Amino acid sequence: METRPKNLPAAERRAATIEAVVDLAASQNPSEITTAAIAKHMNLTQGAVFRHFLNKDAILQAVMEWVAERLLGRIDRAIEGIDSPLAAMEAMFMSHIEFVTKHPGVPRMMFGELQRTELTPAKRMAQTLIQRYSERLMRLIERGKTNGELSGELDNHAAATLFIGTIQGLIMQSLLEGNMERVRLDAPRVFVIYRRGVERTK
């Protein structure tokens, strides 16, 4: 159990709650994480948690917003200053892999939210994250086609879909195996194959 000071400012308490959910999701089914479990993990009462969030859905929405901010910020920093679009795509790929390796609860929550039939605020945020991620990726792909690094006949949307799907596939296999380190080991070799499929033939 994680012990935190009981009298934190509201913003810090909200951030601590989000981190607690991400921690818990790494070791249990995210759909089964209760507010009681969150409070216990933080050494608080449920009442203390609900002082900062209206309900569990509000907590999950805040978690998805945290994921979007952290992941997109991370890949933006990873590609900053890289002139080659293909090199930037590789940096983006590896940065994403490092993020999920560091926070294994995140992909479990993402998969869980996207499987829900109802359009919850958290699911909508997850969809928005994927859209914003794809937009960044397709800008790199278009630049790569313009400068001749990528095939001029490349389907931008399909290439972006394959990029994201490749990462999701690696994550899924690691989750099934119960070893998130596997994704870090497999990612460089897998990106080489992706690269060969999209780059311009010399």
Side-chain angles (χ1 to χ4, degrees):
M1 182 189 303
E2 193 169 330
T3 302
R4 295 179 182 272
K6 292 185 180 293
N7 298 313
L8 289 177
E12 290 185 30
R13 176 65 69 210
R14 286 176 60 86
T17 305
I18 292 167
E19 291 172 9
V21 175
V22 173
D23 288 346
L24 288 168
S27 58
Q28 66 183 86
N29 187 337
S31 66
E32 296 175 357
I33 297 174
T34 63
T35 52
I38 296 168
K40 182 178 179 181
H41 187 77
M42 299 175 69
N43 196 29
L44 296 174
T45 64
Q46 286 191 69
V49 173
F50 284 129
R51 278 199 291 273
H52 304 284
F53 295 95
L54 182 62
N55 50 37
K56 183 181 175 182
D57 281 343
I59 296 174
L60 294 178
Q61 180 181 0
V63 171
M64 287 298 107
E65 290 170 352
W66 180 92
V67 171
E69 179 184 347
R70 295 299 190 282
L71 178 57
L72 294 175
R74 186 184 184 98
I75 63 175
D76 285 345
R77 290 190 297 274
I79 67 177
E80 187 176 0
I82 300 178
D83 293 328
S84 161
L86 195 49
M89 289 169 67
E90 182 172 7
M92 185 174 177
F93 192 95
M94 298 307 170
S95 180
H96 190 155
I97 294 297
E98 286 300 318
F99 179 79
V100 297
T101 304
K102 183 177 179 181
H103 303 290
V106 166
R108 292 168 61 89
M109 294 198 67
M110 284 287 293
F111 288 138
E113 286 303 316
L114 292 174
Q115 287 177 47
R116 294 178 68 171
T117 55
E118 69 274 28
L119 186 58
T120 63
K123 182 176 180 178
R124 191 179 297 112
M125 188 66 236
Q127 292 173 332
T128 299
L129 166 59
I130 292 174
Q131 179 184 349
R132 291 168 63 191
Y133 190 105
S134 297
E135 289 168 353
R136 284 165 166 76
L137 187 52
M138 285 193 282
R139 285 196 295 269
L140 287 175
I141 292 169
E142 188 57 37
R143 279 177 48 204
K145 290 168 68 173
T146 300
N147 78 356
E149 282 190 335
L150 303 183
S151 169
E153 299 177 356
L154 193 64
D155 181 321
N156 293 12
H157 186 268
T161 299
L162 181 59
F163 184 101
I164 296 170
T166 300
I167 293 175
Q168 291 173 333
L170 285 168
I171 294 169
M172 182 65 72
Q173 289 182 59
S174 295
L175 289 173
L176 288 170
E177 195 173 282
N179 177 18
M180 282 305 292
E181 283 301 312
R182 174 178 171 175
V183 71
R184 180 186 280 131
L185 296 173
D186 289 346
R189 299 195 304 271
V190 170
F191 187 82
V192 168
I193 297 172
Y194 175 84
R195 177 180 181 131
R196 288 173 182 166
V198 300
E199 66 185 344
R200 181 181 179 184
T201 305
K202 305 298 183 183

